[in-house]
Amino acid sequence: RRVHGDCRSLQRAAYHRMAGVDAKTRATVERLPLLTVKAGPRDPKEEWIARLKEEFAALIKYVQMNKENDNDWFKIESNPDGTQWKGKCWYIHNMLKYEFDLQFEIPATYPAAPIELELPELDGKTPKMYRGGKICLDIHFAPLWGKNTPRFGIAHALALGLGPWMAAEIPYLVDAGVITHS
């Protein structure tokens, strides 16, 4: 199942809906490819594989953009069927690198439902997190995701969800003494 239409008009519509996103994040996201395949892990295998190919292409583009801007901040890999992902993400605060495990599963209803990004070692350290270390993205990110299904994917979730969340939360947690550099 594919979403048809003029790609440029889809991009304009998707990015128009990003009200409230800071200019730098918006500029980054505008350079990410939009996805077209509306398939998840429960859909026929060939459709899910087509979606995964788009996901990987968008992730590769995002990593390349980050490296070009000397802003490398995560590394992830998936299991063979693309349903479980894990890796590391990091944030530099006061010239110190704070590194965290990152994991997420692709929900059965993906891409209609966004992924839930987890930083397990931060579980219970901030009210902006659910049980298991799932970061709270409900207020800002979930509505944006819903308006952009199936065009947004993992790279978009990292750029619009995890990156801004870490930029807001990690300095606060460090300055409050909740997390320390190791």
Side-chain angles (χ1 to χ4, degrees), residues 6-52:
D6 175 21
C7 188
R8 289 196 195 285
S9 64
L10 285 174
Q11 279 187 311
R12 283 191 300 270
Y15 300 135
H16 177 71
R17 294 182 182 110
M18 291 194 310
V21 175
D22 69 272
K24 185 176 179 184
T25 301
R26 184 184 186 113
T28 298
V29 173
E30 286 176 352
R31 292 181 55 207
L32 292 175
L34 293 175
L35 287 66
T36 61
V37 179
K38 187 178 182 180
R42 285 188 173 175
D43 290 310
K45 186 175 182 177
E46 62 277 355
E47 292 177 26
W48 175 233
I49 290 172
R51 173 69 184 208
L52 283 173

Side-chain angles (χ1 to χ4, degrees), residues 49-124:
I49 290 172
R51 173 69 184 208
L52 283 173
K53 287 179 181 178
E54 287 187 335
E55 295 280 3
F56 279 111
L59 281 164
I60 290 166
K61 174 70 174 173
Y62 188 36
V63 168
Q64 289 170 339
M65 290 168 25
N66 286 338
K67 288 183 183 292
E68 289 168 7
N69 294 315
D70 196 27
N71 188 29
D72 200 18
W73 64 274
F74 69 89
K75 180 179 179 181
I76 59 172
E77 59 185 40
S78 75
N79 66 349
D81 67 2
T83 57
Q84 296 180 341
W85 296 70
K86 64 181 180 177
K88 297 281 187 184
C89 60
W90 52 90
Y91 188 83
I92 308 294
H93 179 64
N94 293 336
M95 304 299 287
L96 297 173
K97 181 179 180 181
Y98 295 85
E99 187 172 280
F100 308 96
D101 290 331
L102 169 63
Q103 62 190 35
F104 57 92
E105 291 184 16
I106 302 295
T109 56
Y110 189 81
I115 56 177
E116 294 181 325
L117 301 160
E118 302 173 34
L119 304 175
E121 64 251 71
L122 294 181
D123 186 20

Side-chain angles (χ1 to χ4, degrees), residues 117 122 124-130 133-137 139 165 168-169 172-173:
L117 301 160
L122 294 181
K125 297 187 186 236
T126 171
K128 295 181 181 174
M129 186 168 273
Y130 299 115
K134 293 178 181 177
I135 66 172
C136 177
L137 296 174
I139 296 172
W165 187 92
E169 285 300 298
Y172 167 77
L173 294 171

